[in-house]
Amino acid sequence: MAEKKVVLTYEGLQNLENELQELKTVRRKEVAEKIKEARGQGDLSENAEYDAAKEEQAEIETRIVELEKILRNAQVIDEDEVNVDVINLGCRVKIYDMEFDEELDYAIVGSTEADPSEGKISNESPVGAALIGHKVGDVVEVEVPEGKLEFKILEIYR
């Protein structure tokens, strides 16, 4: 079975590569030192520091494998070539929330990069999926667990 392509912006790719580098070069060494120090304390069967360090090591190794898989399957969006006539992956959009009477600004990104607190919404999220393909001036209805939202598209840009 072919693995799913992971859509990333260039910034997202850089962030994941930096995280992987940090885990491999810094965090691995730190946890290896913690394990070494814990071993030096004697009996490992009742050594909480050793158990915690081994658990941390497992988490780091799991994340490394996860990042390597993501990067192996990455499809990078060239944001300079994104068509801003319609909303698509890699563009930014300014929308008007008709219920709450406020303007919102979002970047449409792949699910790996999504972080609504930073204004990055996934193309697979209810709002992101509903916005894809629409133009400036369109009013988009979005079904969310809390009900129905309406947004007017004000601007599409890079």
Side-chain angles (χ1 to χ4, degrees):
M1 180 172 125
E3 293 187 42
K4 179 182 170 191
K5 283 287 179 198
V6 178
V7 181
L8 296 171
T9 61
Y10 181 72
E11 176 187 2
L13 177 70
Q14 288 297 116
N15 290 341
L16 293 177
E17 287 175 340
N18 291 342
E19 181 184 353
L20 181 61
Q21 186 68 19
E22 168 82 6
L23 289 172
K24 284 183 165 182
T25 59
V26 177
R27 301 279 290 136
R28 265 185 177 163
K29 288 179 183 159
E30 288 174 355
V31 80
E33 188 59 36
K34 287 180 185 178
I35 291 170
K36 181 180 172 186
E37 288 173 14
R39 277 192 178 134
Q41 295 175 8
D43 185 10
L44 298 181
S45 65
E46 296 181 15
N47 188 327
E49 287 86 8
Y50 179 77
D51 292 341
K54 290 298 280 185
E55 189 173 310
E56 184 179 357
Q57 181 184 44
E59 290 170 4
I60 289 170
E61 294 305 321
T62 299
R63 182 65 177 155
I64 287 171
V65 169
E66 180 183 357
L67 287 171
E68 287 174 337
K69 181 180 175 184
I70 290 169
L71 293 171
R72 190 173 46 249
N73 295 298
Q75 176 182 347
V76 180
I77 300 167
D78 186 346
E79 293 168 78
D80 293 334
E81 294 180 12
V82 170
N83 177 0
V84 292
D85 294 333
V86 296
I87 297 174
N88 210 330
L89 265 164
C91 73
R92 295 195 65 86
V93 60
K94 185 176 288 190
I95 57 178
Y96 175 72
D97 184 328
M98 298 171 91
E99 180 182 351
F100 292 104
D101 189 32
E102 66 180 340
E103 286 187 9
L104 304 168
D105 192 15
Y106 290 119
I108 309 295
V109 297
S111 59
T112 305
E113 286 181 79
D115 185 351
S117 67
E118 289 186 15
K120 296 178 180 181
I121 60 171
S122 166
N123 63 314
E124 298 173 13
S125 70
V127 174
L131 292 173
I132 297 287
H134 286 277
K135 299 177 180 177
V136 171
D138 288 357
V139 174
V140 180
E141 281 191 2
V142 183
E143 284 288 335
V144 294
E146 295 79 29
K148 195 176 283 189
L149 302 174
E150 279 191 331
F151 299 106
K152 182 173 184 175
I153 300 168
L154 303 176
E155 184 180 359
I156 304 168
Y157 59 102
R158 289 187 184 99

